[in-house]
Amino acid sequence: IIRDYRVVEKLTVSMPEEIAGLVVCSNPKCITNVEEVPTLFTIVGGEPLTITCHHCERPMEANEIRLRAKSRRGTTSSD
């Protein structure tokens, strides 16, 4: 936390258990890529980062993860 241009407190950041609506599933047949269904991923491992899609159960490693692009209306889309 910064106040008056000085660091007054440092917080430890941790990995969440789930990621909702931020990542695109790499499975082209996943329901989230076919219909307007929000994505949901579970963090399986931290080192190396591995996540699993809640809908199709596809595991993805860090090099496969793509973030959803923001649309002009402020909602997310997969491109």
Side-chain angles (χ1 to χ4, degrees), residues 21-73:
L22 296 175
V23 176
V24 177
C25 185
S26 61
N27 178 359
K29 294 183 180 181
C30 180
I31 190 75
T32 62
N33 290 321
V34 179
E35 296 186 18
E36 293 283 328
V37 177
T39 61
L40 179 63
F41 291 87
T42 303
I43 306 295
V44 179
E47 289 294 325
L49 176 62
T50 306
I51 62 176
T52 301
C53 179
H54 174 75
H55 302 285
C56 71
E57 300 182 351
R58 182 184 192 117
M60 293 171 36
E61 294 184 358
N63 62 337
E64 300 174 273
I65 296 174
R66 274 191 5 212
L67 298 180
R68 285 179 130 7
K70 240 185 176 193
S71 73
R72 294 181 188 188
R73 291 185 218 132

